[in-house]
Amino acid sequence: SSSGGQPMVIYHMKKEGIPIKQSSIVMLIGVIFFKLFLVIGAIAILIFKPEYIIEANTLIKVCFILGALLDIFLTIFYGLLLYNQKVLKVLFTLVYKVYYKLFKKDGDYNLKANAVLAQYSQESKFIKNNKKCILLSLLLVFLQRLIMFSIVYVIYKGLGLSGMSYIEMVLLQIFVQISVEPIFIPGATGISEYVSGNMFITMFGVLSTTGMLLFRLLTFIFFSMLWFSSSFCLKSSSSIFFESFSVFFFFFFFFLFGFFFSLFKKPSS
């Protein structure tokens, strides 16, 4: 998730007894690897498929360029946060200074920032001394993203379509992902649907609606079903159970409606 997902993961890890300073580093490493994957993808697009950029309209071109620059900046910045103590000290001091003034707290914010920095540094040293673990994590993140981007290709071939290679479809999805990066609202609402809609039309043609709905089924609805099932099996509280059931029912109904609509929709000439 680009917004909201990481704090919720940290929250649930805290409930499982994992300190925030440890879970924060885990999330930070995951974000670094994901951004690095997008940066490598952007370079591949520039080399192998520059027509994705050239043929895009002005809005998408601007979003892609801003997104690529943002990913490069964040990869470098997060890397400095992980390994550069000076940058960390300045950041922690600034955060606690603002926090103490905003909530009118008593005490020395420098001492608090130094204490948190010392704890963070211990976890950072552990990361530095376990390079094999970091390399394995990097490979797993790259493999995860490739698997996610492969789902569209499986749907594409399952519908009997041809004309685009696997590499072209993966690069096109990376192009879309980078283009929605600079939109700082949950889910990049608006531009995400706009760019994704163009992507599915490019890939699936008259079957774009069917392809998009099948993609959402495999990447979202399926996991909503798992969420609902786990809430039921683990005997969660009734409020959580009914909340998960309502979310699942809403999206599943939306999927069925859209899917049957796509089946009976006549292709445009």
Side-chain angles (χ1 to χ4, degrees):
S1 172
S2 2
S3 60
Q6 290 81 10
M8 287 304 299
V9 172
I10 293 175
Y11 168 75
H12 285 287
M13 292 175 74
K14 176 66 175 176
K15 291 180 66 176
E16 294 294 328
I18 301 174
I20 292 180
K21 63 179 183 294
Q22 294 180 1
S23 58
S24 298
I25 289 186
V26 172
M27 291 297 104
L28 181 62
I29 292 174
V31 172
I32 291 174
F33 290 164
F34 176 58
K35 297 298 181 185
L36 182 60
F37 176 83
L38 293 179
V39 170
I40 294 174
I43 296 173
I45 290 171
L46 290 173
I47 297 174
F48 300 108
K49 299 296 291 183
E51 57 267 28
Y52 287 166
I53 306 172
I54 297 172
E55 296 174 1
N57 61 41
T58 304
L59 175 62
I60 297 179
K61 283 181 182 177
V62 171
C63 288
F64 176 80
I65 293 171
L66 290 177
L69 293 175
L70 179 65
D71 286 331
I72 294 172
F73 169 76
L74 290 178
T75 301
I76 297 173
F77 178 69
Y78 290 151
L80 290 175
L81 288 183
L82 191 60
Y83 292 109
N84 194 304
Q85 299 297 313
K86 293 181 179 180
V87 175
L88 276 174
K89 185 173 182 179
V90 172
L91 180 62
F92 281 141
T93 302
L94 178 63
V95 169
Y96 277 100
K97 182 178 181 180
V98 173
Y99 174 76
Y100 271 61
K101 287 188 176 182
L102 185 62
F103 294 97
K104 298 180 180 179
K105 297 284 185 179
D106 296 327
D108 190 348
Y109 59 83
N110 285 301
L111 293 176
K112 182 65 175 178
N114 289 333
V116 174
L117 180 61
Q119 296 176 346
Y120 189 92
S121 299
Q122 293 177 0
E123 307 301 331
S124 181
K125 288 179 181 178
F126 174 82
I127 297 299
K128 294 177 185 178
N129 296 330
N130 290 269
K131 295 181 180 179
K132 290 184 178 180
C133 181
I134 295 301
L135 179 60
L136 179 60
S137 299
L138 174 64
L139 294 175
L140 287 175
V141 169
F142 276 39
L143 179 62
Q144 177 199 36
R145 301 315 303 178
L146 285 175
I147 291 174
M148 287 294 296
F149 289 151
S150 299
I151 294 175
V152 170
Y153 183 73
V154 173
I155 297 172
Y156 181 80
K157 301 303 289 186
L159 291 175
L161 301 174
S162 60
M164 290 189 71
S165 68
Y166 172 76
I167 300 298
E168 288 176 328
M169 299 192 80
V170 169
L171 291 179
L172 182 56
Q173 290 177 86
I174 293 176
F175 176 80
V176 170
Q177 181 66 48
I178 294 174
S179 299
V180 303
E181 287 287 304
I183 310 300
F184 295 105
I185 54 178
T189 304
I191 189 65
S192 180
E193 286 75 15
Y194 176 69
V195 179
S196 298
N198 287 338
M199 178 189 76
F200 279 101
I201 291 174
T202 302
M203 291 179 177
F204 293 90
V206 295
L207 295 175
S208 59
T209 305
T210 303
M212 181 175 62
L213 287 169
L214 287 172
F215 175 75
R216 293 298 285 171
L217 170 66
L218 295 174
T219 59
F220 187 80
I221 303 296
F222 175 72
F223 292 105
S224 297
M225 294 170 66
L226 288 180
W227 177 31
F228 167 71
S229 301
S230 62
S231 299
F232 178 77
C233 295
L234 294 176
K235 298 181 180 179
S236 301
S237 63
S238 59
S239 59
I240 298 178
F241 173 79
F242 285 112
E243 178 185 353
S244 61
F245 176 77
S246 60
V247 171
F248 162 74
F249 180 79
F250 172 78
F251 283 108
F252 189 67
F253 176 79
F254 173 78
F255 164 76
L256 288 178
F257 175 80
F259 182 70
F260 284 112
F261 174 79
S262 68
L263 291 179
F264 292 103
K265 181 181 178 181
K266 296 182 179 180
S268 57
S269 55

